[in-house]
Amino acid sequence: MFKPLIRIRVAVAMSVLALASAASSAQTGPASAGPVTVVVEVALTANATPSEALAAMNDMRAMMKRQPGYLSEEFLHNLNASNAPRYTHVSRWASMTDCAALFRAPEFSKLSAHGHEHCTISASAFQPAE
């Protein structure tokens, strides 16, 4: 059970880091230096309760708010419980570099490992369309 959790955490971290690299190398316009919105879909694992998942996510959110470049965030609950994802987390960062730095922080790695015991996530990063 430990290895799949690590793979999920690594996959999310690699996704965000890849997005950061793509944003800095592929974009040359003013949007590449601007704020980034990260949307994370959160689904409960089969054996998790909503309260366990929320506690784990709230620990990660608290740490996120202390990071350089953090601007704001919302954690949303899907009102239609039969639809996935159960929750969506939306955060805004001053830059993709600031967001990617979160995933390199040892404290966040520990919190993320605990969180993945209760939920799986899928992350995407966005900038305003021109």
Side-chain angles (χ1 to χ4, degrees):
M1 182 169 169
F2 183 72
K3 288 183 181 180
L5 297 177
I6 293 297
R7 278 195 295 261
I8 292 167
R9 183 182 61 176
V10 169
V12 170
M14 294 303 289
S15 296
V16 171
L17 291 172
L19 289 168
S21 297
S24 63
S25 63
Q27 295 180 349
T28 57
S32 64
V36 173
T37 301
V38 177
V39 178
V40 179
E41 295 178 345
V42 181
L44 299 180
T45 58
N47 59 345
T49 66
S51 61
E52 291 171 330
L54 287 174
M57 289 300 298
N58 285 335
D59 289 344
M60 287 187 273
R61 292 172 61 209
M63 191 216 165
M64 185 181 299
K65 291 176 183 180
R66 298 188 308 266
Q67 299 308 298
Y70 166 84
L71 300 175
S72 66
E73 60 96 26
E74 287 187 277
F75 192 57
L76 308 168
H77 178 246
N78 189 341
L79 296 177
N80 185 348
S82 64
N83 283 350
R86 180 76 180 253
Y87 303 99
T88 299
H89 181 260
V90 180
S91 60
R92 287 201 34 93
W93 296 86
S95 70
M96 193 65 215
T97 302
D98 291 327
C99 178
L102 174 71
F103 288 89
R104 290 189 293 270
E107 180 185 354
F108 191 77
S109 291
K110 290 177 189 173
L111 293 173
S112 180
H114 175 69
H116 289 294
E117 293 173 13
H118 307 290
C119 54
T120 59
I121 64 174
S122 173
S124 298
F126 301 89
Q127 287 187 311
E130 296 184 20

